[in-house]
Amino acid sequence: HLELILVDMVSFSNTLLACIIGINSITNVSASFLQSSTIGVSLKGSLSSLCAASTSSSDRSSIRKNNDDNLEEPTELFDRRSMLQKASTVAALTLSLSPQKSNAMNAKSRSEGYAVQHTEREWAYMLSGPQSNILRQGGTERPNSSILEGEDRKGEFRCAGCNTPLFASSSKFHSGTGWPSFASSLSAGSSAAVEVENVSAVQANLLGAEIRCGTCGGHLGDIFSDGLLYVNTPAFVSGKRYCVDGAALIFKPAGDDNNDVYGDISPVVKKREMPDFMASPKINAR
C-alpha cells in the first residue's frame, strides 16, 4: 500500500511542479515587497523550518530503508517530497500576497480628514444622480457615456464635487477604453490634487488602485501602471494611466469661453443616414 501511495504522490507532484512555474513568476514581481514586509520575513522562517523538516524526514526514511530490505523508495521520491513541502510554502506566500481587487468601496471614509465635508443629505442636493453615484458611492459609469471622453480643447478638468483642479488638458489622451484618461494629475499646493489608494506593489501593477479627489474624498476612478502601452501619448512618458469617470469631472475651457462642460452629460450621437438604396421610394404628387 505504501508503494501505491508513493506512486500517487509522484503523479500529483508532476502537476504541482508545473503550477510552481506560474507561481514563481508572480513571486518574482513582488520580490522587493517581500524583502521589506513582515509577511516575507515570517514566511522566510517558515520556508527554512519546512526545509529542515524535509531533510530530517529524508534521514528517517533512509534509516527505515536500511532496516527493511523489502521497502525500496527511489531517491527521486525524496527530492519530490521535499519539493512538495517547499511548493506548499510558496503557495502560502503567493496567497498571502494575493492582491485584493481594487475597490472603490474600501474602508477609508470619504469625509473624514478631507478639507471639504458635507453630510450625505447635503451631497444629494448638491450633486446630480450620476455625480453622486460615482463621487460619493464609488460607482462606475458605462464606457463612452460621458461627453468629456471626446473633449480635446485646452483647459482644466475639475472635481464636480468641490471644483478642485485635478487634471490639465495637456495630460489627456485617448486610451480607447471609453473613459477619460490622463497621464498625470495636478498638484494642490504642497500635496497632490488626486489621492492614490495605498496598495501593495503587486496590486498597483496588476489591478490598479483607487483615486480620489484630495479635497473632498470623492471617488474618481482608478490608476494603472500600463502607460507604456500607449505609444505617442503623454502616458508613455509618465508610465501611468488615470482612468477617470467623466461624471466626476467638470471641464473649464481656457480663454474667454466660460461655458463649463459637465461630465454627466451624454455625448451627442450623430444621426446615421440610411444609404440611398435603403431609403423609401419617393411618391410624386399628381
Side-chain angles (χ1 to χ4, degrees):
H1 294 290
L2 182 58
E3 293 178 355
L4 293 177
I5 294 175
L6 292 175
V7 172
D8 291 339
M9 289 182 62
V10 172
S11 177
F12 173 74
S13 62
N14 287 330
T15 303
L16 188 57
L17 285 174
C19 298
I20 293 174
I21 298 175
I23 293 173
N24 284 337
S25 63
I26 298 177
T27 55
N28 289 336
V29 174
S30 58
S32 59
F33 174 76
L34 288 175
Q35 293 176 355
S36 58
S37 66
T38 56
I39 295 176
V41 173
S42 61
L43 286 176
K44 182 179 179 181
S46 299
L47 179 59
S48 300
S49 61
L50 281 176
C51 289
S54 172
T55 303
S56 60
S57 176
S58 299
D59 293 339
R60 290 194 299 270
S61 299
S62 299
I63 295 173
R64 288 197 302 269
K65 180 180 178 181
N66 293 332
N67 294 335
D68 189 356
D69 295 335
N70 295 327
L71 179 61
E72 296 182 359
E73 290 183 328
T75 304
E76 182 184 6
L77 291 179
F78 294 111
D79 296 336
R80 290 180 180 272
R81 185 177 300 163
S82 176
M83 182 61 72
L84 284 173
Q85 291 176 332
K86 294 178 182 179
S88 63
T89 302
V90 175
L93 180 150
T94 306
L95 290 175
S96 66
L97 295 177
S98 180
Q100 296 180 356
K101 186 178 181 180
S102 182
N103 194 332
M105 304 300 293
N106 61 52
K108 185 178 179 181
S109 171
R110 299 190 189 280
S111 299
E112 297 179 3
Y114 294 100
V116 175
Q117 298 184 17
H118 297 285
T119 64
E120 293 304 319
R121 189 176 186 87
E122 290 172 339
W123 281 120
Y125 280 111
M126 296 170 58
L127 303 174
S128 67
Q131 290 173 339
S132 178
N133 177 53
I134 293 172
L135 288 169
R136 309 314 306 174
Q137 304 300 324
T140 302
E141 67 189 14
R142 291 180 292 103
N144 298 305
S145 63
S146 172
I147 194 173
L148 296 185
E149 163 60 12
E151 183 58 70
D152 294 325
R153 293 178 294 173
K154 293 183 178 180
E156 283 184 342
F157 293 85
R158 301 189 176 189
C159 175
C162 62
N163 205 36
T164 298
L166 301 176
F167 303 98
S169 59
S170 58
S171 68
K172 188 176 185 295
F173 68 100
H174 294 285
S175 63
T177 59
W179 289 280
S181 300
F182 302 88
S184 59
S185 63
L186 297 173
S187 58
S190 59
S191 59
V194 176
E195 176 185 294
V196 179
E197 180 185 9
N198 186 19
V199 297
S200 68
V202 178
Q203 177 169 339
N205 285 292
L206 297 180
L207 299 177
E210 182 195 4
I211 53 176
R212 297 183 179 187
C213 173
T215 304
C216 68
H219 172 71
L220 299 175
D222 298 277
I223 182 173
F224 300 93
S225 301
D226 57 0
L228 293 177
L229 298 177
Y230 302 93
V231 183
N232 297 327
T233 70
F236 185 79
V237 178
S238 68
K240 304 292 183 181
R241 173 171 61 93
Y242 291 77
C243 185
V244 184
D245 292 288
L249 302 175
I250 297 175
F251 177 69
K252 294 188 73 67
D256 298 332
D257 190 352
N258 296 323
N259 296 320
D260 296 345
V261 181
Y262 289 80
D264 57 347
I265 299 175
S266 300
V268 178
V269 180
K270 296 181 179 179
K271 184 179 179 181
R272 296 181 180 180
E273 297 183 359
M274 297 180 61
D276 293 338
F277 70 89
M278 295 184 64
S280 302
K282 295 182 179 179
I283 300 176
N284 297 324
R286 293 182 180 178

